[in-house]
């Protein structure tokens, strides 16, 4: 069964079947993701931008938090995702609060200093220079407004009941595939970004940076949506990491997740653990972003000098 057959990609490197995948993945973690938004303690009446909103799956949580007095602008570069978002929000109680527009994270279609909160979930993994993008988003916030970035981190994934050495080899193959992909000029992807977000926000010039880690644990018997999610990522890992895995590893790994008779997901000791990160920072327009590399300025004699943090 091919759950997430990664063949064609959209303009930011996402599989074209990603909307169905995103919906199922989101449903399987609904409890924790709802909590992530409640923990932000948004004020009623806030203006929130959902940056890289995809099919708008976070809109109901955001709408619940800000109420009918608030407003949400969902932006994305994918027209396909925006059409789905619009379709999903039709006939909902929050449809009058939300608007969807095609735009990039770095150039939001709003005035500077106008957003109470910019929220962005599962997008930072595709940003080649996250701190540069976050710094570009800061000025759109009101004074004291917050940027909240949520993302995954495959480094936190553990499947109890599956050979840990096999897991390590599969994850290493996946990581290597991501690095090779970027090195060969394909769209950027960092599925280990979650635990790096706090550093990126600080580098971008945000203050009062706070990280919240949400551990997502599911045990056998697994809910059907979570099982779909695990089968999907298990196949995705070996498809993409295939060149760096032995035939035995690929076969054994797929057996663990999809075998009809001896499937690890059916074992009573099976347990899946993963942590997702939500990092917030307050925009401080007086702070200069502090990037670690590739910041060149002209010296008085005309030759470029590389700025380090000490020099800033
Ligand atoms: C994995 S999806 C996440 C969608 C949604 N936030 C969620 O969590 O369900 C990533 C989305 O980010 C969008 N995206 C990626 N880079 C972007 C950019 N620079 N500006 C705007 N959207 C972007 C993609 O088109 C895609 O819809």
């Amino acid at each position: 069964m091919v759950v997430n057959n990664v063949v064609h990609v959209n303009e930011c490197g996402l599989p074209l079947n990603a909307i169905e995948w995103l919906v199922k993945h989101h449903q399987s973690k609904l409890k924790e993701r709802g909590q992530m938004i409640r923990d932000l303690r948004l004020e009623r009446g806030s203006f929130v931008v959902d940056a890289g909103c995809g099919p708008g799956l976070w809109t109901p949580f955001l709408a619940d938090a800000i109420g009918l007095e608030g407003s949400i602008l969902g932006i994305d570069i994918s027209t396909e995702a925006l059409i789905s978002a619009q379709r999903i929000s039709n006939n909902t109680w929050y449809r009058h609060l939300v608007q969807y527009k095609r735009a990039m994270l770095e150039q939001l279609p709003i005035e500077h200093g106008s957003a109470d909160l910019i929220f962005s979930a599962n997008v930072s993994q595709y940003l080649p220079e996250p701190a540069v993008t976050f710094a570009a988003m800061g000025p759109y916030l009101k004074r004291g407004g917050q940027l909240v970035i949520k993302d995954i981190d495959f480094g936190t994934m553990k499947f109890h009941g599956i050979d840990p050495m096999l897991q390590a080899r599969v994850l290493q193959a996946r990581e290597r595939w991501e690095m090779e992909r970027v090195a060969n000029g394909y769209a950027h992807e960092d599925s280990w970004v979650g635990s790096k977000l706090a550093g990126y926000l600080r580098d971008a010039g945000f203050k009062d940076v706070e990280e919240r880690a949400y551990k997502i644990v599911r045990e056998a018997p697994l809910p059907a949506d979570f099982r779909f999610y695990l089968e999907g990522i298990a196949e995705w890992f070996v498809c993409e990491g295939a060149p760096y895995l032995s035939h035995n590893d690929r076969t054994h790994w797929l057996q663990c997740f999809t075998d009809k008779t001896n499937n690890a997901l059916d074992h009573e000791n099976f347990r899946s653990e993963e942590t997702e990160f939500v990092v917030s920072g307050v925009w401080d327009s007086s702070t200069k972003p502090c990037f670690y590399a590739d910041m060149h300025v002209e010296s008085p004699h005309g030759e470029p000098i590389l700025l380090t943090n000490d020099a800033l």
Side-chain angles (χ1 to χ4, degrees):
M1 175 183 54
V2 176
V3 178
N4 190 28
N5 191 6
V6 184
V7 182
H8 304 290
V9 293
N10 73 8
E11 59 269 58
C12 86
L14 271 173
L16 286 183
N17 58 355
I19 291 180
E20 188 202 350
W21 163 255
L22 280 176
V23 172
K24 292 268 194 181
H25 182 180
H26 189 74
Q27 278 167 354
S28 76
K29 297 177 176 172
L30 221 47
K31 185 176 63 170
E32 291 83 358
R33 291 185 172 186
Q35 193 58 46
M36 291 174 193
I37 299 298
R38 286 191 292 279
D39 289 345
L40 297 177
R41 301 188 188 287
L42 294 183
E43 278 186 28
R44 311 290 290 173
S46 296
F47 170 41
V48 177
V49 178
D50 183 355
C53 61
L57 305 176
W58 296 80
T59 310
F61 295 140
L62 294 169
D64 267 340
I66 60 173
L68 283 171
E69 322 87 280
S71 55
I72 301 169
L73 173 67
I75 67 100
D76 203 287
I77 45 170
S78 159
T79 309
E80 185 198 8
L82 293 170
I83 291 171
S84 296
Q86 190 61 59
R87 189 176 40 76
I88 291 172
S89 83
N90 286 342
N91 303 320
T92 60
W93 69 267
Y94 54 77
R95 65 188 180 282
H96 298 304
L97 315 185
V98 62
Q99 263 199 312
Y100 295 106
K101 287 192 182 166
R102 190 164 190 274
M104 293 177 64
L105 259 55
E106 298 80 1
Q107 281 182 299
L108 298 177
I110 57 172
E111 299 285 317
H112 275 180
S114 60
D116 293 297
L117 183 109
I118 303 176
F119 173 75
S120 185
N122 307 314
V123 183
S124 67
Q125 56 192 281
Y126 302 109
L127 301 175
E129 294 182 281
V132 174
T133 299
F134 300 160
M137 294 162 92
Y140 293 100
L141 287 162
K142 286 181 182 162
R143 182 183 284 271
Q146 282 196 317
L147 177 66
V148 176
I149 307 290
K150 179 265 163 206
D151 225 318
I152 54 167
D153 191 323
F154 282 173
T156 65
M157 234 171 212
K158 277 195 201 79
F159 304 118
H160 299 266
I162 294 181
D163 174 8
M165 295 311 292
L166 175 64
Q167 290 182 50
R169 289 195 295 278
V170 170
L171 279 161
Q172 268 166 17
R174 159 77 198 201
E175 196 173 13
R176 189 165 159 206
W177 175 85
E178 284 191 358
M179 287 189 298
E180 299 247 331
R181 193 181 130 119
V182 174
N184 284 296
Y186 290 94
H188 182 89
E189 199 165 350
D190 178 2
S191 304
W192 277 253
V193 72
S195 52
K196 303 174 194 164
L197 289 173
Y200 289 141
L201 256 79
R202 287 193 188 97
D203 291 350
F206 286 82
K207 62 176 188 177
D208 300 336
V209 173
E210 280 182 28
E211 178 190 272
R212 292 196 187 90
Y214 292 83
K215 194 163 176 176
I216 296 166
V217 179
R218 299 285 185 277
E219 293 178 331
L222 292 174
D225 49 17
F226 201 78
R227 193 179 176 110
F228 178 92
Y229 160 66
L230 286 185
E231 288 170 353
I233 51 169
E235 273 200 48
W236 185 30
F237 282 0
V238 287
C239 291
E240 295 178 342
Y244 314 115
L245 286 169
S246 68
H247 175 74
N248 269 357
D249 276 354
R250 286 200 299 273
T251 312
H252 185 190
W253 176 260
L254 283 178
Q255 263 169 1
C256 290
F257 288 88
T258 57
D259 202 87
K260 293 266 180 295
T261 50
N262 189 22
N263 190 318
L265 306 187
D266 294 323
H267 292 180
E268 61 181 30
N269 67 343
F270 182 80
R271 177 182 158 98
S272 164
E273 280 179 24
E274 171 185 1
T275 299
E276 297 197 342
F277 293 85
V278 178
V279 180
S280 59
V282 175
W283 179 241
D284 179 357
S285 48
S286 65
T287 314
K288 267 196 298 174
C290 137
F291 302 120
Y292 285 84
D294 294 324
M295 288 191 72
H296 292 89
V297 294
E298 298 283 305
S299 78
H301 312 293
E303 73 274 18
I305 38 177
L306 182 65
L307 284 184
T308 64
N309 274 345
D310 299 339
L312 288 170

